[in-house]
Short mmCIF file of all heavy atoms in Angstrom, two decimals:
data_model
loop_
_atom_site.label_atom_id
_atom_site.label_comp_id
_atom_site.label_asym_id
_atom_site.label_seq_id
_atom_site.Cartn_x
_atom_site.Cartn_y
_atom_site.Cartn_z
N THR I 528 78.70 104.96 79.66
CA THR I 528 77.45 104.52 80.29
C THR I 528 77.69 103.56 81.43
O THR I 528 78.70 102.85 81.49
CB THR I 528 76.53 103.85 79.26
OG1 THR I 528 77.21 102.70 78.75
CG2 THR I 528 76.19 104.77 78.12
N LEU I 529 76.71 103.49 82.32
CA LEU I 529 76.81 102.63 83.49
C LEU I 529 76.90 101.16 83.13
O LEU I 529 77.38 100.35 83.93
CB LEU I 529 75.58 102.87 84.39
CG LEU I 529 75.52 104.22 85.07
CD1 LEU I 529 74.18 104.39 85.76
CD2 LEU I 529 76.65 104.36 86.07
N ALA I 530 76.47 100.81 81.92
CA ALA I 530 76.56 99.42 81.52
C ALA I 530 77.98 98.90 81.52
O ALA I 530 78.21 97.69 81.64
CB ALA I 530 75.95 99.25 80.12
N LEU I 531 78.96 99.79 81.42
CA LEU I 531 80.35 99.35 81.39
C LEU I 531 80.82 98.78 82.72
O LEU I 531 81.80 98.06 82.77
CB LEU I 531 81.25 100.53 81.00
CG LEU I 531 81.13 100.97 79.55
CD1 LEU I 531 81.96 102.21 79.33
CD2 LEU I 531 81.58 99.88 78.63
N LEU I 532 80.12 99.08 83.80
CA LEU I 532 80.55 98.59 85.10
C LEU I 532 80.64 97.07 85.11
O LEU I 532 81.51 96.49 85.77
CB LEU I 532 79.57 99.07 86.18
CG LEU I 532 79.66 100.54 86.55
CD1 LEU I 532 78.50 100.92 87.44
CD2 LEU I 532 80.98 100.84 87.22
N ALA I 533 79.75 96.43 84.38
CA ALA I 533 79.75 94.97 84.37
C ALA I 533 80.87 94.39 83.53
O ALA I 533 81.15 93.19 83.60
CB ALA I 533 78.41 94.46 83.83
N LEU I 534 81.53 95.22 82.74
CA LEU I 534 82.51 94.73 81.79
C LEU I 534 83.93 94.71 82.31
O LEU I 534 84.82 94.18 81.65
CB LEU I 534 82.46 95.59 80.52
CG LEU I 534 81.12 95.64 79.79
CD1 LEU I 534 81.24 96.56 78.58
CD2 LEU I 534 80.68 94.26 79.34
N VAL I 535 84.19 95.32 83.45
CA VAL I 535 85.58 95.55 83.84
C VAL I 535 86.01 94.74 85.06
O VAL I 535 87.06 94.99 85.61
CB VAL I 535 85.81 97.06 84.11
CG1 VAL I 535 85.60 97.84 82.85
CG2 VAL I 535 84.92 97.56 85.22
N SER I 536 85.21 93.78 85.47
CA SER I 536 85.53 93.08 86.72
C SER I 536 86.85 92.32 86.63
O SER I 536 87.53 92.11 87.63
CB SER I 536 84.40 92.10 87.07
OG SER I 536 84.21 91.18 86.01
N GLY I 537 87.25 91.93 85.42
CA GLY I 537 88.49 91.19 85.28
C GLY I 537 89.68 92.05 84.93
O GLY I 537 90.77 91.53 84.73
N PHE I 538 89.48 93.37 84.87
CA PHE I 538 90.56 94.27 84.44
C PHE I 538 91.63 94.40 85.52
O PHE I 538 91.33 94.43 86.71
CB PHE I 538 89.97 95.64 84.13
CG PHE I 538 90.99 96.66 83.77
CD1 PHE I 538 91.66 96.56 82.57
CD2 PHE I 538 91.30 97.69 84.64
CE1 PHE I 538 92.62 97.49 82.23
CE2 PHE I 538 92.26 98.61 84.31
CZ PHE I 538 92.91 98.52 83.11
N ALA I 539 92.89 94.49 85.11
CA ALA I 539 93.99 94.58 86.07
C ALA I 539 94.86 95.79 85.79
O ALA I 539 95.27 96.02 84.67
CB ALA I 539 94.86 93.33 86.00
N VAL I 540 95.11 96.57 86.83
CA VAL I 540 96.09 97.66 86.79
C VAL I 540 97.07 97.39 87.92
O VAL I 540 96.68 96.98 89.01
CB VAL I 540 95.39 99.02 87.02
CG1 VAL I 540 96.42 100.13 87.08
CG2 VAL I 540 94.37 99.30 85.94
N SER I 541 98.34 97.63 87.68
CA SER I 541 99.32 97.40 88.74
C SER I 541 98.99 98.23 89.96
O SER I 541 98.84 99.44 89.87
CB SER I 541 100.73 97.75 88.23
OG SER I 541 101.07 96.95 87.12
N ALA I 542 98.88 97.61 91.10
CA ALA I 542 98.50 98.33 92.31
C ALA I 542 99.67 99.15 92.83
O ALA I 542 100.82 98.90 92.52
CB ALA I 542 98.06 97.33 93.39
N SER I 543 99.33 100.15 93.66
CA SER I 543 100.37 100.95 94.27
C SER I 543 100.92 100.24 95.50
O SER I 543 100.60 99.08 95.77
CB SER I 543 99.79 102.31 94.65
OG SER I 543 98.79 102.15 95.63
N LYS I 544 101.72 100.94 96.27
CA LYS I 544 102.32 100.36 97.46
C LYS I 544 101.24 99.89 98.43
O LYS I 544 100.14 100.44 98.47
CB LYS I 544 103.22 101.39 98.14
CG LYS I 544 104.39 101.83 97.27
CD LYS I 544 105.18 102.92 97.95
CE LYS I 544 106.33 103.38 97.07
NZ LYS I 544 107.08 104.49 97.67
N PRO I 545 101.52 98.88 99.26
CA PRO I 545 100.52 98.39 100.20
C PRO I 545 100.05 99.48 101.15
O PRO I 545 100.78 100.41 101.47
CB PRO I 545 101.28 97.28 100.96
CG PRO I 545 102.39 96.88 100.04
CD PRO I 545 102.77 98.12 99.30
N ALA I 546 98.81 99.34 101.61
CA ALA I 546 98.23 100.32 102.52
C ALA I 546 99.02 100.35 103.83
O ALA I 546 99.50 99.33 104.31
CB ALA I 546 96.78 99.98 102.80
N GLN I 547 99.15 101.54 104.38
CA GLN I 547 99.84 101.69 105.66
C GLN I 547 98.91 101.39 106.84
O GLN I 547 99.37 101.12 107.93
CB GLN I 547 100.37 103.12 105.78
CG GLN I 547 101.36 103.50 104.67
CD GLN I 547 102.57 102.63 104.65
OE1 GLN I 547 103.24 102.49 105.67
NE2 GLN I 547 102.86 102.00 103.51
N ALA I 548 97.61 101.48 106.60
CA ALA I 548 96.65 101.25 107.67
C ALA I 548 95.34 100.79 107.06
O ALA I 548 95.08 101.02 105.88
CB ALA I 548 96.43 102.52 108.49
N VAL I 549 94.52 100.11 107.83
CA VAL I 549 93.21 99.67 107.36
C VAL I 549 92.21 100.80 107.58
O VAL I 549 92.09 101.33 108.68
CB VAL I 549 92.76 98.40 108.12
CG1 VAL I 549 91.36 98.01 107.70
CG2 VAL I 549 93.74 97.27 107.86
N SER I 550 91.50 101.17 106.54
CA SER I 550 90.56 102.28 106.65
C SER I 550 89.30 101.86 107.37
O SER I 550 88.77 100.77 107.16
CB SER I 550 90.20 102.78 105.24
OG SER I 550 89.09 103.64 105.30
N SER I 551 88.80 102.77 108.22
CA SER I 551 87.50 102.52 108.86
C SER I 551 86.36 102.65 107.87
O SER I 551 85.23 102.32 108.17
CB SER I 551 87.30 103.52 110.01
OG SER I 551 87.30 104.85 109.50
N CYS I 552 86.67 103.17 106.64
CA CYS I 552 85.65 103.31 105.59
C CYS I 552 85.69 102.17 104.59
O CYS I 552 84.92 102.19 103.62
CB CYS I 552 85.86 104.63 104.85
SG CYS I 552 85.85 106.09 105.90
N ALA I 553 86.61 101.22 104.76
CA ALA I 553 86.77 100.16 103.77
C ALA I 553 85.47 99.42 103.54
O ALA I 553 84.72 99.13 104.48
CB ALA I 553 87.86 99.19 104.21
N GLY I 554 85.22 99.12 102.29
CA GLY I 554 83.97 98.46 101.91
C GLY I 554 82.92 99.40 101.41
O GLY I 554 81.88 98.97 100.89
N HIS I 555 83.16 100.71 101.53
CA HIS I 555 82.21 101.71 101.02
C HIS I 555 82.58 102.04 99.58
O HIS I 555 83.20 103.05 99.30
CB HIS I 555 82.22 102.95 101.90
CG HIS I 555 81.60 102.74 103.24
ND1 HIS I 555 80.24 102.80 103.43
CD2 HIS I 555 82.14 102.45 104.44
CE1 HIS I 555 79.96 102.57 104.71
NE2 HIS I 555 81.11 102.35 105.35
N ALA I 556 82.22 101.18 98.68
CA ALA I 556 82.48 101.38 97.26
C ALA I 556 81.24 101.01 96.47
O ALA I 556 80.37 100.30 96.96
CB ALA I 556 83.68 100.54 96.81
#
């Protein structure tokens, strides 16, 4: 359920390699 969205703000997953470029779409989440 959508209610879980509020529960995961502190969750951590190891990130992948750094971005090669800044996306023109960044912030669309």
Side-chain angles (χ1 to χ4, degrees):
T528 61
L529 291 172
L531 289 174
L532 287 171
L534 301 178
V535 296
S536 58
F538 176 70
V540 176
S541 299
S543 64
K544 297 176 182 178
Q547 300 300 306
V549 176
S550 167
S551 62
C552 303
H555 289 277

